[in-house]
Amino acid sequence: MSKEWFPLIDEDKCIGCLACYNKCKHSVYDVENGRPVVVYREGCIDGCHGCGNLCPEGAIIYSGEYKEHIKCSCGCGG
Ligand code: SF4
Ligand code: SF4
């Protein structure tokens, strides 16, 4: 089963403060060129909003929160 809960960073909003990287103790983030990158999504704790709550720019969303929105809408159940 694929991992469904992990952070997604809006790179247009991110200012590189690294609050997310400094917050997370689960090795989800690394830093490249002064910017956070998600390198270990499997380490993210389901339902955790720790990094997103700290982000001053609202640049972090979570894949799992949008699961309903990306389901097929044609009625096929997919
Ligand atoms: S949501 Fe929690 S566990 Fe996941 S990356 Fe952010 S701080 Fe780490
Ligand atoms: S906390 Fe938000 S603004 Fe700061 S580095 Fe992380 S994603 Fe970017």
Side-chain angles (χ1 to χ4, degrees):
M1 192 173 131
S2 63
K3 176 71 175 169
E4 291 187 342
W5 186 271
F6 52 88
L8 300 164
I9 299 172
D10 184 335
E11 296 193 3
D12 290 333
K13 292 183 179 176
C14 176
I15 58 172
C17 72
L18 299 183
C20 52
Y21 170 76
N22 291 323
K23 168 69 178 176
C24 187
K25 306 304 181 196
H26 301 280
S27 304
V28 173
Y29 291 102
D30 201 350
V31 180
E32 289 179 9
N33 300 318
R35 296 286 169 144
V37 288
V38 175
V39 294
Y40 181 52
R41 62 174 60 172
E42 292 81 3
C44 186
I45 306 301
D46 288 347
C48 180
H49 289 80
C51 51
N53 286 344
L54 282 180
C55 178
E57 301 298 321
I60 298 174
I61 61 172
Y62 296 94
S63 62
E65 286 189 318
Y66 295 90
K67 199 169 71 173
E68 297 303 316
H69 297 264
I70 59 174
K71 277 185 177 173
C72 180
S73 60
C74 80
C76 68

